[in-house]
C-alpha cells in the first residue's frame, strides 16, 4: 500500500482535476449566458380596499410568476434576497357588478416593478383577480374620549380637549349601524399635565362595524395661569319710574383664571352683572344668586365673592 501512494502519478492527477474544475466553471458560465424559464413566488398585498364593502372571497396572499431571462439574471432571483411584496391599490373604480376586479394591466405593472428590466413575464397564477363582495351601509358618528386628563397646579386648558377628527364614518349592515351611535377611544389616563401634547389613540370598534381609520389624534393644549380680580357693580335694568333699588353689596369681586401671557388683555368693562327688574319681582325673594351677565368669551373658570346678594326695592315719595 505504501508503494502505491509512493508511485501514484499525483502530478498528472492534480493537473487532470484542475482542468476538470476549470471546464466545470466554464460550463456553468456558458449555461448562465443562456436563457431559461423559472417560477418565483412573490407576496401579494392588497391596499386601500374600500371601507363600504365586505369581501366574500379570500384574497390571494402570493402570486406565482413564471419568468424568462438569462441565467445570470435568474440566479439573482434564486440566490438573492427574499422578494419584496407587490402592493396592489384598490379603489371604488375597481368595483363592478358586486365584484372587486383588479385588472391584469395593474397586476403586470406592479410585478414589473419587482423584476429586472430584462426579465419577461411568461405567465402568473392566479391569473384572475375578481373577488365577490357585499356592499355595506354607512353613517357618521361622533368619537368619544374615554378616560381622564388632570392638570398640574397653576395650569389650565387653553381649549377643550378634543380628538381629530371629531367624527368618523362607520360601515356595516343596517342593523349593526342602528346599534352604534358613537365610537369610543381606548382608555386614557394622564395626570399632572403641564405641557401641551398630541397622542395617537386607538378606536374601540364594535363587532360587525368597520371604520375608515383605526386611530385618531388626541389634542391637549395647556398653559400656565394666574388668578386676577375685578370689582364689578351690580346693576338693574327696566326699573319703573318712581322706584329705586338697593343691592347689598352694591359691588362684588370676580376672581377668574387667565393665561399668564393674556393677563393684560382682559378689562373690567368686559364683565357685567345685570338683573331685570321684572325677574327680581317674579323671584319673590329678597336674595338671589349671582352670575355674570357678560364676560369675555375666553373666560372659563370664575367665582364671585360673595355669590349671593340681597336687595330692597323702594318707591320714591314726593
Amino acid at each position: 500500500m505504501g508503494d502505491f501512494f509512493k508511485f501514484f502519478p499525483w502530478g498528472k492527477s492534480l493537473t487532470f482535476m484542475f482542468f476538470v474544475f476549470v471546464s466545470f466553471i466554464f460550463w456553468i458560465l456558458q449555461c448562465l449566458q443562456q436563457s431559461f424559464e423559472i417560477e418565483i413566488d412573490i407576496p401579494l398585498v392588497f391596499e386601500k380596499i374600500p371601507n363600504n364593502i365586505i369581501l366574500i372571497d379570500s384574497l390571494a396572499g402570493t402570486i406565482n410568476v413564471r419568468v424568462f431571462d438569462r441565467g445570470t439574471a435568474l440566479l439573482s432571483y434564486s440566490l438573492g434576497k427574499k422578494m419584496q411584496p407587490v402592493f396592489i391599490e384598490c379603489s371604488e373604480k375597481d368595483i363592478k357588478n358586486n365584484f372587486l376586479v383588479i385588472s391584469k394591466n395593474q397586476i403586470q405593472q406592479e410585478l414589473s416593478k419587482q423584476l429586472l428590466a430584462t426579465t419577461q413575464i411568461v405567465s402568473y397564477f392566479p391569473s384572475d383577480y375578481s373577488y365577490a363582495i357585499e356592499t355595506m351601509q354607512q353613517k357618521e358618528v361622533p368619537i368619544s374620549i374615554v378616560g381622564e386628563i388632570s392638570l398640574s397646579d397653576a395650569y389650565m386648558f387653553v381649549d377643550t380637549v378634543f380628538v381629530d377628527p371629531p367624527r368618523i364614518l362607520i360601515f356595516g349592515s343596517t342593523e349593526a349601524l342602528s346599534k352604534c351611535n358613537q365610537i369610543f377611544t381606548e382608555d386614557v389616563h394622564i395626570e399632572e399635565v403641564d405641557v401641551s401634547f398630541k397622542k395617537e389613540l386607538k378606536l374601540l370598534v364594535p363587532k360587525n362595524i368597520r371604520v375608515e381609520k383605526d386611530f385618531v389624534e388626541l389634542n391637549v393644549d395647556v398653559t400656565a395661569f394666574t388668578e386676577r380680580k375685578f370689582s364689578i357693580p351690580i346693576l338693574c335694568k327696566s326699573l319703573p319710574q318712581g322706584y329705586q333699588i338697593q343691592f347689598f353689596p352694591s359691588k362684588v369681586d370676580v376672581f377668574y383664571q387667565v393665561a399668564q401671557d393674556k393677563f393684560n388683555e382682559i378689562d373690567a368693562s368686559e364683565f357685567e352683572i345685570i338683573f331685570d327688574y321684572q325677574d327680581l319681582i317674579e323671584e319673590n325673594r329678597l336674595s338671589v344668586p349671582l352670575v355674570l351677565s357678560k364676560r369675555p368669551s375666553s373666560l372659563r373658570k370664575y367665582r364671585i365673592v360673595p355669590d349671593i346678594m340681597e336687595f330692597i326695592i323702594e318707591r320714591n315719595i314726593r
Side-chain angles (χ1 to χ4, degrees), residues 14 39-40 53 57 92 99 151 153 156 170-172 187 239 243 257 272 280 282 288 304 306 311 318:
L14 291 175
E39 292 183 356
I40 55 177
I53 66 171
D57 298 331
E92 294 284 350
F99 280 87
L151 299 174
D153 293 339
M156 63 185 293
I170 62 174
F171 306 87
D187 202 1
L239 188 66
Y243 286 83
Q257 295 177 357
E272 284 184 354
L280 291 176
E282 292 176 358
V288 292
I304 301 174
F311 64 93
R318 295 183 179 179

Side-chain angles (χ1 to χ4, degrees), residues 259-299:
Q260 291 180 356
D261 59 348
K262 298 183 182 298
F263 184 84
N264 295 319
E265 294 182 9
I266 297 179
D267 187 79
S269 61
E270 298 180 71
F271 296 84
E272 284 184 354
I273 299 177
I274 301 179
F275 288 96
D276 187 282
Y277 170 80
Q278 194 61 40
D279 292 338
L280 291 176
I281 295 299
E282 292 176 358
E283 285 283 346
N284 195 28
R285 55 182 178 175
L286 298 179
S287 63
V288 292
L290 296 175
V291 293
L292 289 176
S293 308
K294 175 185 173 183
R295 61 176 181 171
S297 59
S298 60
L299 192 67

